[in-house]
Amino acid sequence: MKLDEGMLEYFRDMVSEMMERFDISRAEAVARINERYGNLEISPYPDLMCHEFPEFWAYGAYYYPDGKDRLPTGDADADADIDFTQLPIRPLPPKGSPAWTLKDDSE
């Protein structure tokens, strides 16, 4: 995906959120984002995507929706009734897939 500098920074913020919130490596966060959002047409900053905070999109790259079709938003008040322990985690992109653009140092 080609991004201008503003959108690149937005996606970097998303990676940082994922690393902090889900305790995953940078390589894994980037791979999850690439797999989930890599085929989107992204406009220069501020793309429509920017109407939500990066954590909103980070949750969508990490979790599947719950039984009520809800994903966390990153807002503590809005997410108060979501049981994070019950959210299904999306599987990792397959090793060797194009989603893995960084070396995973955890191997």
Side-chain angles (χ1 to χ4, degrees):
M1 124 179 42
K2 292 186 178 188
L3 302 172
D4 74 339
E5 192 58 38
M7 287 308 297
L8 187 56
E9 185 61 33
Y10 185 84
F11 275 86
R12 285 181 183 134
D13 289 345
M14 196 184 310
V15 167
S16 294
E17 287 289 336
M18 292 180 77
M19 291 171 61
E20 181 180 322
R21 291 175 188 261
F22 312 134
D23 193 28
I24 61 175
S25 69
R26 178 172 303 282
E28 179 180 336
V30 170
R32 287 178 178 278
I33 289 168
N34 286 341
E35 181 178 64
R36 185 85 171 128
Y37 306 119
N39 292 326
L40 296 179
E41 296 274 335
I42 307 287
S43 299
Y45 186 85
D47 180 80
L48 182 62
M49 189 175 215
C50 298
H51 288 261
E52 299 288 352
F53 289 113
E55 52 265 40
F56 175 87
W57 300 105
Y59 279 116
Y62 190 74
Y63 291 117
Y64 284 114
D66 69 5
K68 296 179 182 177
D69 204 32
R70 300 175 301 177
L71 278 170
T73 64
D75 178 297
D77 293 331
D79 297 343
D81 63 339
I82 295 177
D83 182 354
F84 284 71
T85 65
Q86 297 300 309
L87 286 173
I89 297 172
R90 292 180 182 278
L92 281 171
K95 294 292 183 175
S97 80
W100 289 92
T101 57
L102 299 178
K103 183 177 185 279
D104 191 355
D105 293 331
S106 65
E107 296 177 343

